[in-house]
Amino acid sequence: DGDGIPTDLAEVHNVYALLEAKASFEGLLAALPDARPFLLTRAGYAGIQRYAAVWTGDAPSRFDVLRTTLPMLLNLGLSGVAFAGSDIGGYGGNASPELFARWMQLGSVSPFARAHVRDGVPDQEPWAFGTEVTDISRSVLSLRYELLPYWYSLFDEAARTGAPPLRPVFWEFPLQEAFAGVDDEAMIGPWILVAPVLDEGATVRVVRLPPGRWFELRSGAVIEGPATFETPVTLAALPLYVREGAILPRGPVLQRTDEAPLSPLTLDIYPGPSETRTTLYEDDGLSQAHAAGAFSRVEYRTVRLPDGARLTAGTPEGTFDPPARTLEVRVRRVDHPVQQVDLDGKTLAGYPTRAALDAGIGWWQDEDDLSLVVAFPDHAPFALTMRYDPALTAPAPDVAMPFEVRVPAGTPHEAAITIATSANGWTHVPLAWTGPETAAATVVVPRGQWVFYKYARGSWDSVEKWPDCVEAVNRYAFGAAHPVKQDTVWAWADLCR
């Protein structure tokens, strides 16, 4: 009947899917009126975002399909469908370890993230592809969980304005014609540019950055845009760059549902010459109470000063009262000594170590990370002023990176465990024993670059081996102060004979 205007199946086919989702949504809401229905569909029509998340269909497990996934998600976002994702690894099955790792990286920065595969094909969980892919999956999903407060706030913006959380670069830089056709990079909200590796066998990734100052997310290395450059990549590489002026709310990686939400809450700030703002949205995460005003929106503003930086929080909007918790503010970059930190007109104490800061209210300068961490009871409004020289010493100074390794039981202690890296010409550097089977050291490596390494016991004659004395390939790590790189050695070459 076509709503009174007779039509044919071709015209109303996808309208049927929209109405089916609408009926399912309304039925679930009628059955559980204080819960939030969740529906997932691969079919729909304009307006489907009111009722369901969307995935891009039963994708074959191929690299050319992975390459088309990001443009599909960007176009869906531009069409009003904010909550969209793909079958991580491909639905067709038989993904290679490399393809699954690359798809997991893209999935971790997609609005909807779900690994999925058809039946009757080899297993496609992360652990089915070995230790390396398992570790890669754990790393990118951990970052996704940390950024959930940012994602959640972006979804609030999408619900109010239609702005997609995952958006083309030209959305944020409409006057940069060079980005009009770029479909292999994207912005996560206004602050994070992601350049996922989408080509099979890639050893480098061409990255294009718009004008402005950009910070590599993990290390704080600085790149001045506009810039087009090749960055070396490993299988674990997911290039992410933070735009100057960013305020990124972050939470804990893992959190029980019966614990206070977002505790602790972290704000990573990258103050720029002009004031910028970000809104943090929170509610109970479960009920429909937000529709009646039981939510919290707090606007944060930051700006770089001639002698430091300032962060302010406005008066919260809404009736939801977040729980008592610690707010940690991390400021990047802080290359020079911090002189003073004031909160609401009162000077805070500085602490010599992070452990000391964890036991009190005040600040600590992370000289390896080139950042400042300020901790205090969360409240709003507030005004935080930090005094330091904001000039950079260098765009990407070397970083002292911490390594910890567990060695096989019975490893002799007469010789030190050593680490040899590509950063120092593969010279063996001793680690300090920290236990019967553990050793640790910090190694100076290039900030924001990949470094390759192996463990030994002083020489290549005693280099590490994999289980069953199989030859071990070079390990790799990304040059950053955090987290500690933790490894396990399975065997030694001289003890395998």
Side-chain angles (χ1 to χ4, degrees):
D1 181 59
D3 268 344
I5 303 175
T7 184
D8 56 25
L9 176 63
E11 189 170 21
V12 300
H13 178 271
N14 280 15
V15 178
Y16 180 92
L18 170 66
L19 297 178
E20 182 183 42
K22 180 176 185 288
S24 300
F25 182 93
E26 292 175 348
L28 286 169
L29 198 56
L32 298 168
D34 196 39
R36 302 182 187 183
F38 175 77
L39 284 82
L40 180 64
T41 183
R42 64 179 176 185
Y45 194 70
I48 188 64
Q49 67 271 12
R50 297 196 299 268
Y51 309 113
V54 173
W55 93 97
T56 55
D58 296 343
S61 299
R62 303 197 312 261
F63 267 94
D64 62 319
V65 179
L66 171 64
R67 175 61 183 81
T68 65
T69 297
L70 182 55
M72 281 193 284
L73 297 179
L74 295 175
N75 282 321
L76 280 165
L78 291 173
S79 303
V81 183
F83 201 3
S86 63
D87 288 340
I88 294 175
Y91 177 75
N94 295 306
S96 67
E98 180 188 9
L99 176 60
F100 186 86
R102 295 303 187 203
W103 214 316
M104 180 62 79
Q105 290 160 353
L106 176 60
S108 73
V109 295
S110 300
F112 175 64
R114 176 199 63 164
H116 188 51
V117 72
R118 63 179 298 172
D119 58 359
V121 298
D123 290 345
Q124 198 163 281
E125 290 79 19
W127 51 88
F129 297 96
T131 300
E132 183 178 17
V133 174
T134 302
D135 289 344
I136 290 169
S137 301
R138 181 183 295 112
S139 175
V140 296
L141 290 175
S142 294
L143 178 60
R144 178 181 180 84
Y145 271 82
E146 286 185 32
L147 289 172
L148 280 182
Y150 181 53
W151 279 106
Y152 204 56
S153 299
L154 292 174
F155 271 98
D156 172 58
E157 181 187 10
R160 291 184 291 110
T161 72
L166 187 71
R167 54 192 65 164
V169 178
F170 68 73
W171 179 286
E172 292 296 331
F173 298 90
L175 300 182
Q176 300 298 314
E177 295 183 6
F179 289 89
V182 172
D183 64 358
D184 63 346
E185 296 180 0
M187 296 293 297
I188 305 173
W191 301 127
I192 302 176
L193 185 144
V194 55
V197 181
L198 304 173
D199 297 322
E200 186 173 13
T203 57
V204 296
R205 172 58 153 102
V206 175
V207 175
R208 297 169 293 273
L209 295 180
R213 175 172 289 179
W214 296 84
F215 300 79
E216 196 286 318
L217 183 142
R218 297 172 183 84
S219 67
V222 167
I223 302 169
E224 301 289 348
T228 299
F229 58 94
E230 286 189 348
T231 182
V233 297
T234 65
L235 185 58
L238 176 61
L240 293 160
Y241 302 90
V242 182
R243 184 181 180 183
E244 186 176 58
I247 305 172
L248 297 178
R250 300 173 72 156
V253 174
L254 294 176
Q255 186 166 324
R256 291 157 47 108
T257 56
D258 58 352
E259 291 179 330
L262 300 190
S263 183
L265 170 64
T266 300
L267 294 179
D268 282 357
I269 67 172
Y270 299 77
S274 301
E275 186 178 75
T276 54
R277 63 189 68 186
T278 289
T279 298
L280 173 67
Y281 174 87
E282 296 178 81
D283 58 29
D284 66 16
L286 298 170
S287 75
Q288 293 286 344
H290 63 92
F295 60 81
S296 170
R297 287 194 192 98
V298 178
E299 183 180 77
Y300 297 95
R301 300 188 181 197
T302 189
V303 66
R304 187 168 66 232
L305 304 172
D307 60 347
R310 181 174 63 243
L311 173 70
T312 60
T315 301
E317 175 189 356
T319 61
F320 178 73
D321 189 17
R325 63 191 176 194
T326 297
L327 176 63
E328 290 190 358
V329 177
R330 184 177 70 154
V331 190
R332 269 186 166 173
R333 290 242 310 257
V334 180
D335 293 22
H336 301 276
V338 175
Q339 304 299 324
Q340 184 171 319
V341 176
D342 294 331
L343 175 66
D344 298 330
K346 296 181 179 180
T347 300
L348 298 182
Y351 291 87
T353 66
R354 176 57 197 251
L357 174 63
D358 288 341
I361 300 169
W363 58 271
W364 166 67
Q365 186 168 0
D366 189 338
E367 296 180 355
D368 293 324
D369 190 55
L370 299 179
S371 63
L372 164 66
V373 179
V374 185
F376 54 91
D378 188 20
H379 64 282
F382 69 73
L384 180 67
T385 304
M386 297 145 285
R387 303 296 182 185
Y388 60 91
D389 180 355
L392 299 177
T393 55
D398 289 346
V399 57
M401 184 173 180
F403 290 81
E404 292 181 356
V405 62
R406 178 170 293 278
V407 300
T411 295
H413 277 228
E414 289 78 12
I417 305 299
T418 57
I419 182 172
T421 77
S422 58
N424 69 351
W426 295 98
T427 301
H428 291 272
V429 176
L431 284 72
W433 288 100
T434 57
E437 299 173 7
T438 57
T442 57
V443 181
V444 176
V445 301
R447 185 181 299 268
Q449 298 182 30
W450 291 96
V451 59
F452 296 88
Y453 65 98
K454 275 187 174 178
Y455 294 103
R457 296 186 356 269
S459 72
W460 295 114
D461 292 335
S462 59
V463 72
E464 64 174 304
K465 295 288 186 179
W466 278 351
D468 301 322
C469 292
V470 173
E471 185 70 19
V473 300
N474 291 336
R475 299 176 185 266
Y476 57 83
F478 193 69
H482 306 293
V484 177
K485 188 69 177 71
Q486 296 178 314
D487 298 308
T488 297
V489 169
W490 301 101
W492 303 110
D494 60 325
L495 301 180
C496 284
R497 303 188 182 113

